[in-house]
Amino acid sequence: MKKILFIMIALLITAGCASSPSSSENSSEENTTEDDVTKVLEQIFSGPDEELEQLHEEENYQGISSYYMDQFEPYFTEKYMKQALDTNLLNSFHQKAGNDVNMEIGKMSVEQSEETETAYDFDMQINISNGETADVSGRVNTNEEGKITRIYYNDDVQSLLHAFDTAVQTEEGLFEYDRSRLVSRTGDEAYQPKYPTLMPFEVDGVEIDPGVMEEKDTVLTFIFHAEMNEEMELTTVKDGDISYDDIETEEVSIGDQTGQYAGNEGETQRLIWKDGSIMYELKGNVDGLSKDDLIMVAESFE
């Protein structure tokens, strides 16, 4: 009887040991989310690789979207995956790179937050192949399952965006602008307008406003920002009009088309014209911008 009891106790102890993970296994499980966060940051802040560059060259925007789904979907919640694609979070630095300019991570630190177990703070040094270097920091939030729910960049991320700047200035004092950035971001919208290839300043970022719910399929507004707080606003309307009855305008030629110009140099200037089924309004108050410059920007739309 004692022998049987001893055997049963031994079996229970053995079973308990087998079901309890070792300290190394515990450590491995605890590190899984941090490892995933690190992997995601490495993917965002390096490259682009040859596959992604080829997709951009071919303007294969569906392929670009599928590329990022393959790369990041296993680590993101479904909701945040959609948000990341819609807001260009994953593509913004790769778009800035390209053209044989690449990112490489120099130093990297990812640490679990002391205040929030599901948050991870990161600090990175990014080396650009054009010789520039930028420091970037921020936080990645996850849920209890370890899926990423938010990636937040601190203000120092602007230094990385500026590190890519290779804007070419024309003889007229305008700056070349790569329209492909906007084309990729609006590929899923109800309509795709044309975009400028020249701007009166080096574009630092673009906000997209789809308008109120009842206009979401017919109105898109874009706000182009510069490093020195300059901005231009572009409003596009599909199968509709942009009213200018309450302002004094003059008729101007925009290539083979006719448009309406309002304003004066040193004040807010606007240009309104129609191309096919889409109305365009380009406006802003930019130092040194002349009426001819504004028309030249409109003529650059592709």
Side-chain angles (χ1 to χ4, degrees), residues 190-215:
Y191 69 98
Q192 285 71 47
K194 294 181 178 180
Y195 301 104
T197 58
L198 292 176
M199 287 296 288
F201 46 70
E202 294 185 49
V203 177
D204 189 45
V206 183
E207 295 177 40
I208 302 178
D209 182 2
V212 295
M213 184 59 66
E214 58 268 24
E215 297 178 338

Side-chain angles (χ1 to χ4, degrees), residues 139-242:
R139 169 169 286 197
V140 178
N141 293 106
T142 65
N143 62 16
E144 293 180 356
E145 287 75 41
K147 296 286 188 177
I148 293 175
T149 59
R150 179 175 181 257
I151 298 177
Y152 171 78
Y153 303 135
N154 293 328
D155 290 341
D156 56 11
V157 75
Q158 294 297 324
S159 65
L160 176 58
L161 293 171
H162 299 327
F164 293 109
D165 288 343
T166 54
V168 177
Q169 187 170 12
T170 68
E171 293 181 0
E172 295 79 14
L174 302 175
F175 293 86
E176 294 181 1
Y177 176 71
D178 182 5
R179 58 182 282 280
S180 66
R181 306 171 187 177
L182 284 178
V183 173
S184 64
R185 291 173 65 182
T186 56
D188 294 331
E189 297 293 343
Y191 69 98
Q192 285 71 47
K194 294 181 178 180
Y195 301 104
T197 58
L198 292 176
M199 287 296 288
F201 46 70
E202 294 185 49
V203 177
D204 189 45
V206 183
E207 295 177 40
I208 302 178
D209 182 2
V212 295
M213 184 59 66
E214 58 268 24
E215 297 178 338
K216 70 181 184 67
D217 292 333
T218 59
V219 178
L220 285 171
T221 299
F222 307 87
I223 303 175
F224 296 79
H225 295 281
E227 185 176 351
M228 301 306 293
N229 296 322
E230 297 169 302
E231 67 177 43
M232 293 286 294
E233 181 177 304
L234 169 66
T235 300
T236 68
V237 180
K238 172 72 171 176
D239 296 322
D241 293 319
I242 295 176

Side-chain angles (χ1 to χ4, degrees), residues 243-254:
S243 175
Y244 51 87
D245 294 337
D246 58 341
I247 57 175
E248 184 177 344
T249 64
E250 65 172 288
E251 191 171 282
V252 295
S253 295
I254 304 173

